[in-house]
Amino acid sequence: SEEKITANIQGSEDSQFVEFCLSEEPKSFNMYISKELANIDFTIFNILLENKDNQMFIKREMINLYLKPNSKVNYDNKNNTYNFRLDQNQNNSPFIYTRESLEKRLNQRLRV
């Protein structure tokens, strides 16, 4: 079974720090966006993956190389922003998920 962890993010012009503490390091993950943040331009400034042995820091301009949006997410490469579209007629949620490149790096970290 997959571990599901949520964070409360408010639609705001201000940057927000969001932390997810998992019981074990993931080999892949998905980030789902709730309907409250739909149709808002959303920027991920950086991602820090940290375990007891090391850290992996992904800068804003590299995030799209490691994370891939599904068809309900528009990614603006010029501004590095995401827009999550919700359609009332469809059930599939907008989300971003790990690309194979990040999954390989996460698996390497677990072998160390």
Side-chain angles (χ1 to χ4, degrees):
S1 72
E2 293 181 0
E3 184 174 11
K4 295 186 184 209
I5 296 181
T6 61
N8 186 13
I9 301 173
Q10 303 298 319
S12 170
E13 295 292 321
D14 298 327
S15 297
Q16 297 171 57
F17 175 80
V18 180
E19 181 177 27
F20 297 99
C21 296
L22 307 176
S23 57
E24 59 185 55
E25 188 163 357
K27 295 180 181 175
S28 66
F29 57 86
N30 297 345
M31 291 189 293
Y32 291 87
I33 303 302
S34 67
K35 62 184 175 184
E36 289 80 13
L37 292 178
N39 302 315
I40 293 174
D41 288 340
F42 195 93
T43 302
I44 302 172
F45 288 101
N46 54 62
I47 296 176
L48 172 64
L49 301 171
E50 183 175 36
N51 63 19
K52 62 180 179 167
D53 298 321
N54 55 30
Q55 294 181 338
M56 180 179 168
F57 188 76
I58 304 172
K59 294 181 180 180
R60 178 179 177 177
E61 58 273 8
M62 299 294 289
I63 290 173
N64 194 47
L65 298 176
Y66 289 114
L67 298 173
K68 183 177 183 177
N70 75 348
S71 63
K72 304 300 280 180
V73 180
N74 287 331
Y75 176 70
D76 179 346
N77 195 31
K78 180 181 173 190
N79 297 313
N80 293 62
T81 59
Y82 298 88
N83 185 281
F84 301 87
R85 301 183 327 268
L86 282 183
D87 184 344
Q88 299 299 338
N89 299 326
Q90 296 183 5
N91 289 335
N92 75 348
S93 298
F95 66 94
I96 299 171
Y97 58 100
T98 50
R99 289 185 185 270
E100 186 177 341
S101 55
L102 180 56
E103 290 175 15
K104 284 181 180 178
R105 290 196 64 184
L106 292 173
N107 278 308
Q108 287 173 349
R109 286 163 53 93
L110 295 176
R111 276 191 242 128
V112 174

